């Protein structure tokens, strides 16, 4: 697979696809590495621009700062869109006992999906299934912390 070069436009397009399609979109397995590299490069450019002393440099510094701010917004929104799709898939898997297609998930997302699916299933089995069997739920509940200060 060819190396994917992360750019502002590329990230925006990834977000756009994720927003407008119901299923999880394919992202290169090196996405996080590539994004961190890109952000570090942008930060280095910003630092370099900040050291220059000219009227044009201040304009470029502001443009780069704005672009970094917008990049972080894009990344946050992308994460939240994908997170929501993963939560829905894990909830559906728990409710239906049907495996979901996880091929579009990054390794970190797959770990999140598996943990959520297990948690949903555990709670369903130990609350709903027990109730349907005329039994009390059998969960070890965490101790309540006293919130008084």
């Amino acid at each position: 697979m060819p190396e994917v070069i992360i750019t502002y436009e590329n990230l925006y397009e990834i977000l756009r696809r994720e927003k407008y399609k119901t299923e999880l979109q394919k992202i290169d397995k090196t996405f996080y590495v590539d994004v961190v590299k890109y952000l570090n490069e942008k930060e280095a450019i910003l630092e370099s621009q900040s050291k220059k002393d000219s009227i044009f440099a201040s304009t470029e510094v502001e443009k780069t700062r704005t672009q970094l701010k917008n990049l972080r917004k894009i990344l946050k929104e992308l994460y939240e869109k994908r997170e929501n799709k993963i939560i829905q898939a894990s909830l559906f898997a728990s409710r239906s006992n049907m495996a979901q297609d996880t091929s579009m998930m990054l390794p970190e997302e797959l770990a999140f999906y598996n943990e959520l699916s297990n948690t949903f299933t555990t709670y369903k089995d130990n609350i709903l299934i027990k109730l349907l069997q005329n039994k009390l739920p059998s969960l070890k509940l965490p101790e309540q912390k006293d919130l008084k200060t």
Side-chain angles (χ1 to χ4, degrees), residues 7 11 27 30 65 71-72 84-85 125-126 130 147:
T7 63
L11 283 173
I27 293 181
T30 62
R65 270 198 187 106
L71 281 167
R72 287 185 169 93
N84 189 48
K85 290 177 183 184
D125 290 347
N126 289 296
K130 295 287 185 184
L147 297 178

Side-chain angles (χ1 to χ4, degrees), residues 87-130:
I87 291 168
Q88 293 304 314
S90 62
L91 185 57
F92 183 77
S94 171
R95 288 180 178 171
S96 66
N97 291 324
M98 292 175 54
Q100 298 295 295
D101 178 15
T102 58
S103 63
M104 298 297 178
M105 292 180 194
L106 297 173
E108 297 84 355
E109 294 172 331
L110 183 59
F112 177 54
Y113 167 83
N114 287 332
E115 193 156 330
L116 277 176
S117 296
N118 291 337
T119 300
F120 285 139
T121 300
T122 298
Y123 276 79
K124 181 183 80 174
D125 290 347
N126 289 296
I127 297 173
L128 177 63
I129 302 302
K130 295 287 185 184

Side-chain angles (χ1 to χ4, degrees), residues 37-124:
K37 180 180 172 188
Y38 179 64
L39 288 171
N40 285 333
E41 289 170 359
K42 280 290 182 191
E43 290 283 352
I45 289 168
L46 180 62
E47 188 176 325
S48 170
Q49 289 171 339
S50 296
K51 291 178 182 175
K52 294 179 183 170
D53 191 27
S54 80
I55 194 159
F56 300 113
S58 64
T59 305
E60 289 303 312
V61 165
E62 198 50 45
K63 276 187 190 177
T64 305
R65 270 198 187 106
T66 301
Q67 193 175 47
L68 272 166
K69 181 181 168 190
N70 290 338
L71 281 167
R72 287 185 169 93
K73 284 181 183 177
I74 288 170
L75 290 170
K76 182 179 185 286
E77 190 172 354
L78 178 62
Y79 174 84
E80 290 171 352
K81 294 286 179 200
R82 292 181 69 83
E83 175 187 57
N84 189 48
K85 290 177 183 184
I86 292 166
I87 291 168
Q88 293 304 314
S90 62
L91 185 57
F92 183 77
S94 171
R95 288 180 178 171
S96 66
N97 291 324
M98 292 175 54
Q100 298 295 295
D101 178 15
T102 58
S103 63
M104 298 297 178
M105 292 180 194
L106 297 173
E108 297 84 355
E109 294 172 331
L110 183 59
F112 177 54
Y113 167 83
N114 287 332
E115 193 156 330
L116 277 176
S117 296
N118 291 337
T119 300
F120 285 139
T121 300
T122 298
Y123 276 79
K124 181 183 80 174

